[in-house]
Amino acid sequence: MTPAEYRNASFEVWAHYSQQLIEQALTQLLPARDTLPQRLHEAMRYATLGGGKRVRPLLCLAAGQLVNASEGAILPVASALECIHAYSLVHDDLPCMDDDVLRRGKPTCHIQFDEATAVLAGDALQTQAFELLADAPLSAPQRIALVKELAHASGSLGMAGGQAIDQLHVGQHMDLPELELMHIMKTGALIRAAVRMGSRCHPNDGAALPDSTHQSLDHYARAIGLAFQVVDDILDVEADSATLGKTAGKDAAADKPTYVSLLGLAEAKRMAAALHQQAHDALAGFGEAGRRLRELADFIVLRHH
Amino acid sequence: MTPAEYRNASFEVWAHYSQQLIEQALTQLLPARDTLPQRLHEAMRYATLGGGKRVRPLLCLAAGQLVNASEGAILPVASALECIHAYSLVHDDLPCMDDDVLRRGKPTCHIQFDEATAVLAGDALQTQAFELLADAPLSAPQRIALVKELAHASGSLGMAGGQAIDQLHVGQHMDLPELELMHIMKTGALIRAAVRMGSRCHPNDGAALPDSTHQSLDHYARAIGLAFQVVDDILDVEADSATLGKTAGKDAAADKPTYVSLLGLAEAKRMAAALHQQAHDALAGFGEAGRRLRELADFIVLRHH
């Protein structure tokens, strides 16, 4: 596909081709299957390759394309985001956490391998993410800014912190502000980081983007970060496991508070629609350049799995 | 203590004061106990503060002092190394890994808290390490070099990879080259990184150290990295749990290959002595400036716990 064809393609074609780019990048950037220790590298690749919607890398790519980032710069950054996401799934699925056996339509990592390998594969995928950022073909200040963004979004004040709140509240009451804080940390922070990191990959290092661009992108990213989780909660009720590729109804089974359990299904759907609109509004100033991010907002809110 | 007193102090006084500096830095740099999510931050602090020999931070400090690094630059870097070490201990102690209940004379993290919290505290400590490096008061190229060093030393080709080889060989035969590769990855890589990272904190960013300095430090670091593990294996046989602050004899109980099981006690001791000598030889060119690193080699090889 030529650059012009890629730029002008329908969303479905753009997303499919972008997912292929991400899959190729991950395939090349992760240690090879036959590199020692082989079982660990197999598990890292099993947990990362060949599945998933790649929402975070797609957001990163779309934000990068908005600021004319090169493919060579953006793909390792998008891959780092997916490594963090994959590590979090491997650890979340462990018996001591959500104890899940199905993920992306396949046995979870600790089922396919063993628990020790799953813990270590998750650990090493996190490390890999930071190594990819450090090696990205961008200026040192840009790379450091990316390391900060990713660390802040995925650490104890971000994704891992949100997961900790989640684990502590199984079977316990949580009100709407608590639930929102948890999801902003657990899912929202990394999705927001995906957009912010993409826009940090612009080619002119000296020429920082105007503050208004960062603010608009950030409004967009916050809205879709939250929308993503609301839709996840709706799908957990409405879809079946085969469509989801993971165990459906498990939040209700685990007696976890969700937007649906707190607001009811109809209100949760209204909330998703309002966040969808907020995301579109935030992009209004970008015109045609905001097309992929708009389409991704539609994809996130209107998806069936 | 004045800078001159610190510089000229006996090793015991220097090490004690340095350990206090590291403890203070970690106490300040880790998220506060009352920051949400509190239980996660309590677990991160529990696993990191108030214990341990701080071998890696001490090596980092000593190498930093050799190149006149400022305390403000070196302490966050030393703290990052300890966060990685602490995370690895928390995960290694999990029931699905070494299943240990005692560490640094206290209940292990998953015993004191719970398994899910221990997994997440380890995850978040790893993230914290990279965030500390990204925020260190050093140039962006120095910080990026530090992120690369730490990621390479602790990922699937370093510490996590060594731990994976270890887990796969419980109860299985391992020959001496395999055992050595495992330990070079599992323990040696991070100890080596500690020295290398300390020497990267020099104040004149432009003026890189001569290659010969890097090579000498690296020879030193490789020798003590291996010596550390050989001594660990000897102590596992010779010391009791109260002295070690962790469960003694657990390698033999787990039927794990060790230097002692492979070489016998006498030969393992001869190997430790030879590595000790190699470490001293590597520092010969530094004269008085190499004093703390020499003393640390003595400390690592001659310790009783």
Side-chain angles (χ1 to χ4, degrees):
Chain A
M1 192 180 290
T2 67
E5 282 170 352
Y6 179 44
R7 203 163 43 242
N8 298 319
S10 70
F11 175 71
E12 286 66 28
V13 171
W14 176 85
H16 183 70
Y17 187 73
S18 300
Q19 284 162 340
Q20 286 183 326
L21 289 177
I22 294 155
E23 184 78 12
Q24 280 168 18
L26 284 166
T27 301
Q28 286 165 14
L29 293 169
L30 287 171
R33 197 177 296 278
D34 56 359
T35 301
L36 274 173
Q38 294 164 344
R39 188 175 169 84
L40 179 64
H41 290 136
E42 269 175 41
M44 289 168 71
R45 296 177 77 89
Y46 177 84
T48 315
L49 299 175
K53 295 178 287 292
R54 310 296 191 198
V55 168
R56 292 152 197 80
L58 287 177
L59 285 166
C60 181
L61 268 179
Q65 287 168 6
L66 181 72
V67 299
N68 296 315
S70 76
E71 224 166 70
I74 199 93
L75 282 173
V77 177
S79 299
L81 281 155
E82 193 66 7
C83 286
I84 291 285
H85 179 55
Y87 119 65
S88 78
L89 297 182
V90 171
H91 283 188
D92 286 5
D93 287 336
L94 286 170
C96 69
M97 307 264 274
D98 289 353
D99 193 15
D100 218 325
V101 297
L102 191 65
R103 169 70 69 183
R104 292 175 171 178
K106 301 186 298 188
T108 48
C109 191
H110 66 276
I111 298 289
Q112 182 75 13
F113 295 87
D114 56 84
E115 268 187 70
T117 301
V119 170
L120 290 166
D123 289 344
L125 280 169
Q126 176 174 184
T127 324
Q128 187 76 50
F130 290 105
E131 194 159 6
L132 290 178
L133 294 183
D135 286 334
L138 289 158
S139 72
Q142 277 177 307
R143 285 178 282 163
I144 279 296
L146 290 167
V147 170
K148 282 193 203 196
E149 286 273 2
L150 189 62
H152 193 74
S154 58
S156 71
L157 303 177
M159 185 186 75
Q163 179 66 7
I165 296 175
D166 195 11
Q167 289 296 323
L168 284 175
H169 282 84
V170 173
Q172 285 187 29
H173 178 73
M174 205 188 263
D175 60 21
L176 196 59
E178 286 174 328
L179 185 73
E180 200 150 289
L181 175 66
M182 178 197 56
H183 284 312
I184 285 172
M185 293 170 75
K186 185 180 164 184
T187 324
L190 195 62
I191 288 184
R192 186 178 163 213
V195 176
R196 292 169 61 97
M197 289 169 70
S199 69
R200 283 193 179 280
C201 296
H202 54 87
N204 310 307
D205 183 33
L209 296 174
D211 281 351
S212 60
T213 301
H214 279 303
Q215 279 166 16
S216 298
L217 284 175
D218 209 35
H219 286 154
Y220 165 82
R222 284 168 183 267
I224 53 144
L226 207 45
F228 185 87
Q229 189 58 50
V230 177
V231 172
D232 239 32
D233 287 354
I234 294 168
L235 289 173
D236 189 68
V237 176
E238 291 203 325
D240 56 44
S241 300
T243 310
L244 283 183
K246 59 184 178 184
T247 312
K250 71 173 179 172
D251 292 339
D255 202 12
K256 279 196 180 185
T258 70
Y259 284 101
V260 174
S261 70
L262 239 67
L263 299 173
L265 192 57
E267 189 56 36
K269 287 182 175 180
R270 267 192 294 274
M271 184 175 173
L275 289 164
H276 187 194
Q277 186 59 47
Q278 279 176 33
H280 273 269
D281 291 348
L283 297 173
F286 292 113
E288 178 59 18
R291 174 180 168 197
R292 296 306 181 197
L293 289 173
R294 264 194 300 278
E295 289 171 339
L296 278 166
D298 300 344
F299 171 70
I300 284 169
V301 176
L302 308 176
R303 71 199 154 101
H304 299 292
H305 60 88
Chain B
M1 192 181 290
T2 67
E5 283 169 351
Y6 179 45
R7 203 161 46 240
N8 298 320
S10 71
F11 175 70
E12 286 67 28
V13 170
W14 176 86
H16 182 70
Y17 187 73
S18 300
Q19 284 162 339
Q20 286 182 324
L21 289 177
I22 294 154
E23 184 77 13
Q24 280 167 19
L26 285 166
T27 301
Q28 287 165 15
L29 293 168
L30 287 171
R33 197 177 297 278
D34 57 359
T35 300
L36 273 174
Q38 293 165 345
R39 187 175 169 87
L40 179 64
H41 290 136
E42 269 176 40
M44 289 169 70
R45 296 178 76 90
Y46 178 84
T48 315
L49 299 175
K53 297 178 286 292
R54 311 296 190 198
V55 168
R56 294 152 195 81
L58 288 177
L59 286 165
C60 181
L61 268 178
Q65 287 167 7
L66 181 73
V67 300
N68 296 314
S70 76
E71 221 165 73
I74 198 91
L75 283 173
V77 177
S79 300
L81 281 155
E82 193 67 8
C83 286
I84 291 285
H85 179 54
Y87 119 65
S88 78
L89 298 182
V90 170
H91 283 188
D92 286 5
D93 287 336
L94 285 170
C96 68
M97 306 265 274
D98 290 352
D99 192 14
D100 218 324
V101 298
L102 191 64
R103 171 69 70 182
R104 293 177 171 175
K106 300 186 298 187
T108 48
C109 191
H110 66 275
I111 297 291
Q112 183 73 14
F113 295 87
D114 56 84
E115 270 187 68
T117 301
V119 170
L120 290 166
D123 290 345
L125 279 170
Q126 177 175 186
T127 324
Q128 186 77 50
F130 290 105
E131 194 160 5
L132 290 178
L133 295 183
D135 286 333
L138 289 158
S139 73
Q142 277 177 307
R143 285 179 281 163
I144 278 297
L146 290 167
V147 170
K148 281 193 202 195
E149 285 274 1
L150 189 62
H152 193 74
S154 58
S156 71
L157 303 177
M159 185 185 75
Q163 179 66 9
I165 296 175
D166 195 12
Q167 290 294 324
L168 283 176
H169 282 83
V170 174
Q172 284 190 30
H173 177 73
M174 206 187 263
D175 60 21
L176 196 59
E178 287 174 328
L179 186 72
E180 200 148 290
L181 175 67
M182 177 197 54
H183 284 312
I184 284 171
M185 293 170 74
K186 185 180 163 184
T187 324
L190 195 61
I191 287 183
R192 186 177 164 215
V195 176
R196 292 168 61 95
M197 289 170 69
S199 69
R200 284 193 179 279
C201 296
H202 54 86
N204 310 309
D205 183 33
L209 296 174
D211 281 350
S212 59
T213 301
H214 279 303
Q215 278 165 17
S216 299
L217 285 175
D218 209 34
H219 286 153
Y220 165 83
R222 283 168 183 267
I224 53 145
L226 208 45
F228 185 88
Q229 189 58 49
V230 178
V231 172
D232 238 33
D233 286 356
I234 294 169
L235 288 173
D236 189 68
V237 176
E238 292 204 322
D240 56 42
S241 300
T243 311
L244 282 182
K246 60 184 178 183
T247 311
K250 70 173 179 173
D251 292 339
D255 201 13
K256 280 196 178 184
T258 70
Y259 285 101
V260 175
S261 70
L262 239 68
L263 298 173
L265 192 55
E267 190 54 38
K269 286 182 176 180
R270 268 193 293 274
M271 183 174 173
L275 289 165
H276 187 194
Q277 186 59 48
Q278 280 177 32
H280 273 270
D281 292 350
L283 297 174
F286 293 113
E288 177 60 18
R291 175 180 169 197
R292 297 305 182 197
L293 289 173
R294 264 194 299 278
E295 290 171 339
L296 279 166
D298 300 345
F299 171 70
I300 284 169
V301 176
L302 308 176
R303 72 199 154 101
H304 299 292
H305 60 91

